[in-house]
Amino acid sequence: MTVYNPDAPPSDELIDAERRRHERKSAKSGRAAMAEYNRGTAARNSNAMMTREVEKWNTGRRAAQAAQPVGPRVDPHPPVPLLSEAGEIGQRVAELIRLDRLDGALTRSLARITDENREIEAEAAAYALRTRLSEAAAALIDATSRKEKAPEVLRALVDEHHDRERLVVPLEIDKGLRAAIESEVCQRAAGSVRGVLDEIDTAVLDEADAVLADAVQAHERLSLAGVGVDVTLDQAVDGDDDGVLSAVRLWRSAVARWSDVQSVRMWCAAAIDRGFEVRTTGVSVVRPPKVRGGQFLTEAEARKHNSPQAEARTQGSSCWQGSAPSWLAGRTEHEVLRWFVGLDAKQRPNPRGVADLDTNKGA
């Protein structure tokens, strides 16, 4: 048994063991420090690389924005006016075009395709069943004639009947025929508009002339009473003048009818310019394109989607024959008629119809 003597000096073995432990600890500490240093260096390099990439991306984005700046904001195009909401003139034009007949023809044609589909499927299924029955009967008779074991024909027929896919008209034929019917209806709708454009023009001009005559009459009666066309209905009632009240009603009727006339002109312009499409509501004028924006908008896309549509091109000074001020664009019907009646009789322009909307007429 070894007795520990605290006064005795450490042995050489103990000194060597302590030295080796210290060396191992120092080596381990050095490796840890080196690893920590390497991790820090990698993190700094990664951050620097990320900073350079972000700056590079931002520089490219700023250059793209500078090269192709975002254009001014464009409001969405207004929807196509409906003839059904354009008063009596809209009803007269609808009766001339008779789109309701094309709607009916479209509905009946598509219904006929559906009925024929069912008939063809039923006939094909019946023919296939008769063929399988004949084949099964022949196989059974052949087997029994040779005194062989009869096959289970009935069970096989039942199983095959349930597993067999239903015979249908090829999808490309069904869809293609329906698309062709819709295309034909849309072409005929456009042809209907062009075919009666002169009659529509006459109806529109007659209504426009009548509206302007009523507006002038209302203006003159209100002027004689010492008020103008801007008088409100409350002011007319408070004035206790039946003549003024009647003139206000006449003026308001003229404003509403002028709006109907312009709705018909816009509808005709859109129909001639963009044509027709089939929607759930039937045959309708193709809707205006959706306005587009953004830094990557091309000039061609801007012209196609953001430029004024046919409806807008019929308004403003284009409502009149000859020259008219450009500031009329975007004005209300009340403001337009107020401008018109404020002119001298010889200076008042004639309204424009729809005959000149078809630029391909006679081509």
Side-chain angles (χ1 to χ4, degrees), residues 310-324:
E311 298 93 319
R313 296 196 295 269
T314 65
Q315 298 304 291
S317 59
S318 298
C319 294
W320 310 95
Q321 300 181 35
S323 60

Side-chain angles (χ1 to χ4, degrees), residues 258-309:
W258 182 256
S259 176
D260 292 339
V261 167
Q262 299 313 313
S263 292
V264 168
R265 294 184 67 248
M266 288 189 286
W267 185 92
C268 291
I272 293 172
D273 187 68
R274 294 194 300 271
F276 290 82
E277 63 184 354
V278 175
R279 301 209 295 268
T280 55
T281 54
V283 183
S284 305
V285 175
V286 174
R287 290 163 287 192
K290 291 184 178 180
V291 169
R292 293 189 179 180
Q295 67 185 58
F296 300 110
L297 179 68
T298 65
E299 185 177 349
E301 289 176 332
R303 283 197 305 269
K304 179 180 179 181
H305 293 270
N306 300 353
S307 60
Q309 296 298 300

Side-chain angles (χ1 to χ4, degrees), residues 176-256:
L177 183 56
R178 291 175 184 273
I181 291 172
E182 292 182 357
S183 176
E184 179 66 22
V185 166
C186 291
Q187 291 180 20
R188 293 194 181 193
S192 296
V193 175
R194 288 188 166 91
V196 295
L197 199 59
D198 290 339
E199 289 87 340
I200 297 175
D201 183 69
T202 299
V204 167
L205 288 177
D206 288 346
E207 178 68 4
D209 288 336
V211 168
L212 295 177
D214 285 351
V216 170
Q217 181 182 356
H219 163 68
E220 292 175 348
R221 288 164 59 181
L222 291 171
S223 297
L224 289 175
V227 295
V229 295
D230 291 326
V231 64
T232 65
L233 188 59
D234 291 339
Q235 291 172 339
V237 172
D238 293 340
D240 197 22
D241 187 332
D242 292 340
V244 171
L245 194 58
S246 175
V248 169
R249 292 195 184 99
L250 182 62
W251 174 262
R252 292 194 168 193
S253 173
V255 169

Side-chain angles (χ1 to χ4, degrees), residues 4 29 53 62 70 86 94 100 127 130 133 143 188 199 204 237 245 269 296 324 347 363:
Y4 174 69
S29 176
E53 290 297 324
R62 288 192 293 268
V70 179
D100 56 324
Y127 175 78
R130 288 196 301 270
L133 292 175
R188 293 194 181 193
E199 289 87 340
V204 167
V237 172
L245 194 58
F296 300 110
Q347 294 179 334

Side-chain angles (χ1 to χ4, degrees), residues 212 215 229-230 251 254-256 258-259 316 320 325 327-343:
L212 295 177
V229 295
D230 291 326
W251 174 262
V255 169
W258 182 256
S259 176
W320 310 95
W327 57 261
L328 289 174
R331 301 289 179 150
T332 64
E333 290 79 8
H334 173 85
E335 292 173 318
V336 171
L337 291 184
R338 183 178 61 190
W339 162 80
F340 177 81
V341 299
L343 299 173

